[in-house]
Amino acid sequence: MTRPLYAIPGSAAAPARGPEPAPDAPPGSGARTVGEVLAETQVDAVLDELDRELVGLAALKQRVRDIAALLVIDRLRANHGLAAQAPSLHMSFTGNPGTGKTTVAMRMARILQRLGYLRSGHLVAVTRDDLVGQYIGHTAPKTKEVLKKAMGGVLFVDEAYYLYRPENERDYGQEAIEILLQVMENQRADIVVILAGYADRMETFFQSNPGMRSRVAHHLEFPDYARDELLQIGEHMLAEMSYRLDPAARSTFADYLDRRLAQPHFANARSVRNALDRARLRQASRLFAERDRPLTREDLTTLVPADLLGSRLFARVEAGEPGAADTPTNTQPRRLPCLSDPAGPSPAT
């Protein structure tokens, strides 16, 4: 029986068979050098933003630059009238929570839009609940509605492995997978799908769905951050909110990170943000108690050691008890990236 060919209303459906041509250069584009393409598209500005926003991740950033380089060269080939097949741009992102997956996905959407591979640079982030229905006939409309919203941009499916539940014969996730497969193949000129999740679970997902693996050309791994990188991330977060750590508080926060990394349920940048949010609460309570003292700009923007030492982690470690950190206990456990090629969980940021 022939599979249905799903076409999402409002999208530019690609032919079901045969190679697709590479996107045409924009009208009036006569670029002949890489520099001219970069000047026209401002892709360098997006890559520079990625460098500024994400600490570390040198290998990952190089992969993003490699993909951008391929697309720039394809643009120059098109300008010379050379035949080229549009590259497959579907991706999988592998990594633990808080390693920057969503940030990279947003920047990738902008790069693809600026180079003419997508009509818009928007990103639609979803999970299983957004795609899979609870009864017969519910999944297809849900999935196609999400795809309609994502057309012209990037669909980011977080914890994609939850779409596949072989232990439940009445689960409707497989229907969503079939629709995604059809659209990823037949309308790949108008949408890029990024599948994200823990590396080991994504590997199992791809093994169980070889058609999905064959449609994903780029597998990007997001490693966990080291202590010094997390400290830098924390300082960047504080600077964006007009806060800073005084020298003693910086040392205390480094100590906090050493202790926190040894605890379960660590979520990289998310855990850093949670810890700093609690430190700001303690600072506010500390200043609130000094009702009659005029507060200076320095007072209002500076975190001191006491604002961090109030963490339950310090209290329990000092008491010799098993540590309980500032991050919620329902966070997914910290996992090491596997060596396979495939992608990480909750709205991976």
Side-chain angles (χ1 to χ4, degrees):
M1 181 175 178
T2 304
R3 291 182 179 176
L5 295 179
Y6 294 97
I8 308 303
S11 64
R17 291 188 177 88
E20 294 182 21
D24 294 332
S29 173
R32 289 295 184 268
T33 70
V34 170
E36 289 172 348
V37 174
L38 294 176
E40 288 178 354
T41 61
Q42 298 296 303
V43 167
D44 263 349
V46 182
L47 294 173
D48 289 343
E49 282 181 19
L50 196 62
D51 279 335
R52 290 194 303 270
E53 292 178 7
L54 289 182
V55 172
L57 303 179
L60 171 73
K61 291 175 182 176
Q62 185 56 51
R63 283 295 305 277
V64 174
R65 287 184 177 275
D66 290 343
I67 293 170
L70 172 65
L71 302 183
V72 167
I73 297 304
D74 276 357
R75 173 80 163 264
L76 288 170
R77 288 174 59 85
N79 288 352
H80 280 280
L82 295 172
Q85 182 174 343
S88 175
L89 295 171
H90 303 307
M91 308 177 192
S92 79
F93 286 4
T94 303
N96 290 328
T99 49
K101 296 185 292 296
T102 305
T103 298
V104 172
M106 289 189 293
R107 296 295 168 262
M108 185 62 71
R110 289 176 58 189
I111 289 171
L112 296 175
Q113 186 270 330
R114 292 190 180 196
L115 286 170
Y117 284 84
L118 290 175
R119 288 184 283 117
S120 70
H122 74 289
L123 178 138
V124 176
V126 299
T127 62
R128 172 190 164 90
D129 289 345
D130 300 298
L131 299 170
V132 181
Q134 297 179 343
Y135 51 83
I136 294 175
H138 191 206
T139 295
K142 286 188 71 171
T143 301
K144 287 193 275 189
E145 181 61 28
V146 166
L147 286 165
K148 182 179 178 180
K149 293 177 182 177
M151 278 297 157
V154 170
L155 176 64
F156 183 86
V157 185
D158 202 16
E159 297 181 296
Y161 34 75
Y162 285 133
L163 292 175
Y164 181 69
R165 291 181 173 174
E167 71 282 358
N168 184 353
E169 294 181 357
R170 303 186 64 181
D171 183 70
Y172 304 114
Q174 189 61 40
E175 184 179 1
I177 292 173
E178 292 295 329
I179 295 173
L180 284 173
L181 286 171
Q182 291 283 348
V183 172
M184 289 169 70
E185 180 65 23
N186 299 328
Q187 297 176 260
R188 62 185 182 273
D190 203 33
I191 189 171
V192 169
V193 176
I194 297 178
L195 307 172
Y198 282 127
D200 53 352
R201 297 184 188 182
M202 286 302 295
E203 177 62 23
T204 300
F205 174 71
F206 284 128
Q207 288 175 357
S208 303
N209 297 275
M212 188 68 79
R213 186 196 290 275
S214 69
R215 286 166 173 78
V216 175
H218 305 283
H219 298 268
L220 279 66
E221 296 184 2
F222 290 69
D224 290 320
Y225 290 106
R227 193 283 302 270
D228 288 346
E229 292 173 332
L230 292 167
L231 181 58
Q232 189 177 343
I233 288 169
E235 291 182 310
H236 179 71
M237 289 177 176
L238 288 174
E240 287 185 333
M241 298 182 289
S242 298
Y243 283 89
R244 71 178 187 86
L245 299 166
D246 74 11
R250 190 178 192 278
S251 177
T252 302
F253 190 51
D255 186 12
Y256 170 88
L257 290 171
D258 283 334
R259 298 171 186 239
R260 185 63 185 89
L261 282 165
Q263 301 295 318
H265 312 301
F266 185 72
N268 290 284
R270 289 186 197 167
S271 290
V272 170
R273 183 177 296 280
N274 289 340
L276 293 175
D277 283 345
R278 287 170 171 78
R280 289 171 55 229
L281 285 172
R282 296 186 199 103
Q283 182 227 35
S285 295
R286 174 171 57 81
L287 297 177
F288 184 77
E290 302 182 58
R291 300 196 176 194
D292 297 325
R293 181 172 74 85
L295 297 176
T296 66
R297 182 184 181 87
E298 187 78 3
D299 292 327
L300 295 169
T301 60
T302 304
L303 298 181
V304 301
D307 302 325
L308 297 157
L309 290 169
S311 165
R312 291 176 297 164
L313 180 61
F314 281 108
R316 294 190 179 185
V317 170
E318 294 301 330
E321 299 176 16
D326 275 352
T327 41
T329 56
N330 63 351
T331 307
Q332 290 279 7
R334 182 177 177 84
R335 294 164 177 252
L336 293 176
C338 75
L339 297 178
S340 59
D341 224 353
S346 17
T349 283

